[in-house]
Amino acid sequence: MNEAQRRRVLQRHSVRVMGQGIPMLLCNGFGCSQRIWQHLTTALVAHYQVIVFDYVGSGESDLSAYSPQKYATLADYAQDVVEICQALDLREAILVGHSVGATIGMLAAIQAPQHFAKVILLAPSPYYLNEPGYYGGFERADMLQVLASMENDYQGWTIAFADLLMGPTNMASLGEELTNFFCETDSTIARQFAQVAFLSDNRADVNQLQLRTLVVQCTDDVAGPAEVGAYFLQHLPQGELVTLSTSGHCPHLSAPLETLAAIRAFAA
């Protein structure tokens, strides 16, 4: 990758590099910009070189770089992560991915393991739908209804979906914070990304991740139930599982200190 290509990649994804030390690359979940990590980055920067970025279509990314054909699978998003690693010449990095970003990060680490030392998956799921012998949390008909509601009323959908992900026991302000992130994402791109994210089946990829991997689950997570954690633990070659006391799908919002402790313990 020459210097011009490197600059284009970094600008396309609004890549920010903060701090010094072992590199730690943070991969956002669906509909979120790099700001979703703001409750963790100050503490992490004290010990790591933290890299954050935006997927094309969210945050301050280059919207002109998006097309439905270019981003038709999660592997296409993973390719962007690999290109960011190439542009920064990352080595022995710790990859932290949340939700759909965990799957994207997993695919990137499978494709280009030379960039990474360890992988941390926050509230991950390789497949969100229920199938015979597998519980992902959502019936296909229910998920299709969720996706259809995005088309009919995107603003209303952001509120309802954020509340669903945060769960009933977390403060309402956390749901509002997540809603704001969804609202910062281009709605047309978000709808297309959601189709890719929530209908993709990446279960067959899990056992290809050869790096030491920590799965961080929450209690009562509608999008990452306990059965999914058990699936990861069964199929990851070097998998470990930690269940946090916080509920919902976004531990970096609902329990940043507990999440930080899990990340630091594994990264060390």
Side-chain angles (χ1 to χ4, degrees):
M1 183 178 292
N2 61 38
E3 184 59 25
Q5 291 171 323
R6 177 180 175 275
R7 284 199 302 269
R8 279 198 298 272
V9 168
L10 299 182
Q11 290 171 359
R12 184 172 69 219
H13 297 285
S14 188
V15 176
R16 294 172 59 217
V17 180
M18 303 170 286
Q20 296 180 338
I22 296 171
M24 180 176 286
L25 177 65
L26 308 182
C27 298
N28 323 318
F30 164 79
C32 297
S33 72
Q34 59 187 257
R35 291 199 306 109
I36 193 73
W37 302 104
Q38 61 192 354
H39 300 297
L40 305 186
T41 49
T42 299
L44 290 174
V45 165
H47 302 279
Y48 301 96
Q49 181 189 64
V50 177
I51 301 118
V52 292
F53 68 95
D54 292 326
Y55 300 117
V56 170
S58 67
E60 298 180 4
S61 64
D62 181 1
L63 297 185
S64 68
Y66 181 84
S67 75
Q69 295 75 30
K70 182 178 180 180
Y71 293 99
T73 69
L74 293 182
D76 298 321
Y77 286 92
Q79 178 59 40
D80 282 350
V81 174
V82 172
E83 290 181 7
I84 291 170
C85 293
Q86 293 170 340
L88 297 174
D89 193 26
L90 293 186
R91 292 290 183 269
E92 297 293 308
I94 298 165
L95 188 148
V96 181
H98 169 243
S99 188
V100 173
T103 302
I104 293 170
M106 177 183 74
L107 295 175
I110 292 169
Q111 178 183 338
Q114 68 273 17
H115 294 296
F116 306 106
K118 297 178 181 179
V119 176
I120 300 174
L121 308 178
L122 299 180
S125 177
Y127 188 43
Y128 292 95
L129 305 185
N130 301 330
E131 299 285 356
Y134 176 83
Y135 184 76
F138 295 91
E139 294 295 333
R140 177 173 290 272
D142 294 335
M143 180 58 75
L144 292 177
Q145 187 174 3
V146 168
L147 296 174
S149 68
M150 293 183 73
E151 296 285 346
N152 299 328
D153 178 13
Y154 182 74
Q155 295 301 318
W157 174 88
T158 62
I159 298 171
F161 195 61
D163 288 343
L164 176 68
L165 293 183
M166 293 308 305
T169 60
N170 281 308
M171 295 184 298
S173 60
L174 294 178
E176 294 169 2
E177 186 174 356
L178 187 58
T179 298
N180 290 335
F181 285 116
F182 290 159
C183 291
E184 291 175 355
T185 302
D186 179 273
S187 60
T188 300
I189 296 175
R191 289 194 292 267
Q192 293 164 349
F193 188 11
Q195 293 276 349
V196 173
F198 298 123
L199 298 180
S200 291
D201 185 353
N202 293 100
R203 287 177 292 174
D205 298 300
V206 174
N207 64 7
Q208 298 181 47
L209 182 59
Q210 299 297 321
L211 299 171
R212 188 179 168 204
T213 303
L214 177 67
V215 176
V216 180
Q217 279 202 308
C218 304
T219 58
D220 298 321
D221 180 358
V222 66
E227 291 86 347
V228 168
Y231 183 90
F232 272 110
L233 203 58
Q234 181 181 355
H235 291 86
L236 282 169
Q238 296 192 69
E240 304 173 33
L241 176 66
V242 169
T243 301
L244 305 182
S245 61
T246 187
S247 63
H249 191 59
C250 301
H252 44 339
L253 295 182
S254 61
L257 294 181
E258 195 175 353
T259 303
L260 275 168
I263 290 174
R264 285 171 168 168
F266 183 75

